[in-house]
Amino acid sequence: MQRFFTSESVSQGHPDKVCDQISDAILDAMLEQDPDSRVACETLVTTGLVVVAGEITSKAVVDIQSVVRKTIKEIGYNDPALGFDAESCGILVSVHQQSPDISQGVTEGAGLHAEQGAGDQGIMFGYADNETPAFMPLAIFYAHRLMEELTAARESGMLPYLRPDSKSQITVEYEDLTPKRIDTIVLSTQHSPDVTHETLKNDLIEKIIRKVIPANLLDDKTIMHINPTGRFVVGGPHGDSGVTGRKIIVDTYGGYGAHGGGAFSGKDPSKVDRSAAYAARWVAKNIVAAGLATHCELQLSYAIGVAKPLSVHVHTQGTGKLPDEKIAAIVNKLFDLTPKGIITKLQLKRPIFRETARNGHFGRELPDFTWEKTDMLEAIKKEAGI
């Protein structure tokens, strides 16, 4: 059966991603001094203004304004002509401590249950398939790679007219579960006012798209829309306000795998919105990499203050070598999915999170992205008898 599926990505200079990176940079600064920091930090940006708000309980002493300005500068907003820059923007900070009612449910031995409980109720999803070497859906994987390449071209000066705010979108044509070709690519980027649309279009097709997308996925019917309004000079927080947590589908699987609804950025790992979603990706990736299925979606559910997940649900879209319920039983046996177990196994009390806030939290095999390791393959194969 023929079908089409589309995913998008946004660059590190997109207003919402600016907020995600600021929130995670603040989290990292807290964890660097105090690994037990409790952080729920959200950011809003608009023309000339940054607002940081939330709940932070930590022994760390952090100059939040300095962290904010450093992050904005590294993203590329360092020119007042852009309407938003690191040196001149106003910064408002309003944070207070974590609620003691929540704290006692998350602190080991302090609540109704002896173990460290989940920081909130909620459902989290992890996903993996065999469409790419990274075990990610093809559309979101290449949408992210386009953003990475565009940023590299801007930062290196190869395309000096580029500015930080960009978006990509890829539509893949499938036959049943198999991707056949890329049907449509949309690539939009902020630019200086002096470059012509024709120059920008030719450069982005030849120097970005054709460099990133494998030739076998493109054909003479592939449609490419480059800055389809014809002009994108006003952008970033000057062109649109941004808020932490508004790009959760970009952060995960581009909509091809489910998302529980909770955002990641600005949250320390006691929040299962983040840590359990990372664990679910780790489990799903290991199941697919072990050959137990070609597609795997894992759902976990938690109650605030309770350590063990209330449910573990596996869906392999009929591709599993065992029934889904038996794969779920293997997951329950082999993986410690309590908050403490996840944090310990994936080493999540380190200041590693700002990098996750751009180009996707999943499908990037970086040294600190422990949830991308395929370190449970032999255990899974042995338990499954394959």
Side-chain angles (χ1 to χ4, degrees):
M1 181 180 69
Q2 182 192 51
R3 60 190 180 90
F4 295 85
F5 193 87
T6 303
S7 295
E8 70 164 352
S9 181
V10 298
S11 71
Q12 64 191 53
H14 184 281
D16 295 328
K17 275 290 143 203
V18 171
C19 294
D20 288 344
Q21 289 167 92
I22 290 172
S23 293
D24 272 339
I26 294 169
L27 169 63
D28 282 351
M30 296 290 172
L31 292 175
E32 190 170 17
Q33 295 183 38
D34 178 7
D36 294 320
S37 295
R38 300 278 172 78
V39 180
C41 176
E42 297 186 347
T43 305
L44 177 147
V45 296
T46 186
T47 302
L49 179 64
V50 179
V51 180
V52 177
E55 300 81 47
I56 297 177
T57 300
S58 177
K59 297 176 183 176
V61 179
V62 172
D63 184 344
I64 291 178
Q65 290 211 12
S66 293
V67 173
V68 172
R69 294 193 192 280
K70 183 175 183 288
T71 304
I72 294 169
K73 184 176 181 180
E74 290 176 351
I75 291 169
Y77 289 111
N78 48 25
D79 181 355
L82 298 178
F84 183 82
D85 80 287
E87 296 300 326
S88 66
C89 66
I91 300 173
L92 300 177
V93 178
S94 179
V95 298
H96 54 84
Q97 291 196 335
Q98 183 182 52
S99 160
D101 298 340
I102 296 174
S103 178
Q104 72 174 23
V106 180
T107 302
E108 192 170 4
L112 290 177
H113 303 272
E115 296 179 89
Q116 176 181 341
D120 200 353
Q121 71 173 49
I123 55 173
M124 296 83 209
F125 287 89
Y127 181 80
D129 62 33
N130 64 352
E131 292 182 12
T132 64
F135 297 97
M136 287 288 283
L138 192 145
I140 188 65
F141 179 80
Y142 283 113
H144 284 322
R145 303 295 80 77
L146 287 174
M147 291 294 91
E148 287 180 333
E149 193 63 35
L150 204 60
T151 297
R154 174 177 59 84
E155 293 181 339
S156 70
M158 184 183 79
L159 298 179
Y161 55 79
L162 294 177
R163 289 179 173 175
D165 191 0
S166 306
K167 302 180 79 170
S168 64
Q169 186 170 285
I170 290 180
T171 301
V172 176
E173 180 182 342
Y174 284 83
E175 186 67 35
D176 295 324
L177 291 177
T178 303
K180 294 297 185 181
R181 55 184 289 274
I182 290 178
D183 182 75
T184 306
I185 298 173
V186 182
L187 190 55
S188 298
T189 183
Q190 186 185 13
H191 58 84
S192 62
D194 53 351
V195 67
T196 67
H197 183 264
E198 192 64 24
T199 295
L200 183 143
K201 180 178 179 180
N202 290 338
D203 281 349
L204 265 56
I205 290 175
E206 297 303 323
K207 298 178 181 179
I208 305 297
I209 292 175
R210 296 198 184 279
K211 181 178 179 180
V212 170
I213 307 296
N216 65 300
L217 293 175
L218 304 174
D219 56 32
D220 57 3
K221 293 183 180 179
T222 299
I223 301 165
M224 298 186 190
H225 294 294
I226 311 298
N227 277 25
T229 70
R231 180 179 169 87
F232 186 2
V233 172
V234 178
H238 184 46
D240 190 10
S241 62
V243 179
T244 299
R246 281 205 304 203
K247 287 293 175 286
I248 58 176
I249 302 304
V250 171
D251 287 340
T252 53
Y253 310 102
Y256 203 80
H259 192 292
F264 301 156
S265 289
K267 295 178 181 176
D268 75 84
S270 72
K271 281 75 171 171
V272 284
D273 278 342
R274 179 167 224 158
S275 54
Y278 287 4
R281 161 65 179 174
W282 173 52
V283 173
K285 183 175 181 179
N286 274 270
I287 287 171
V288 174
L292 202 52
T294 62
H295 295 67
C296 179
E297 184 175 86
L298 179 80
Q299 185 205 56
L300 305 175
S301 67
Y302 291 85
I304 189 168
V306 179
K308 291 185 179 180
L310 306 184
S311 66
V312 176
H313 174 76
V314 171
H315 178 49
T316 63
Q317 300 184 48
T319 71
K321 291 188 176 180
L322 297 175
D324 289 351
E325 60 271 18
K326 291 191 176 181
I327 297 176
I330 292 172
V331 172
N332 276 311
K333 182 175 182 179
L334 296 181
F335 294 87
D336 181 354
L337 297 173
T338 64
K340 183 177 180 180
I342 292 168
I343 290 168
T344 301
K345 175 65 179 179
L346 299 183
Q347 301 172 280
L348 296 181
K349 288 189 176 184
R350 298 168 297 144
I352 60 171
F353 295 107
R354 173 161 170 214
E355 182 58 40
T356 67
R358 54 186 180 183
N359 304 318
H361 294 243
F362 307 127
R364 303 163 64 202
E365 298 198 12
L366 301 176
D368 289 332
F369 284 32
T370 50
W371 50 92
E372 292 296 323
K373 291 183 177 180
T374 51
D375 54 357
M376 295 292 288
L377 303 186
E378 296 309 314
I380 290 171
K381 290 177 181 178
K382 181 179 178 181
E383 196 64 35
I386 61 173

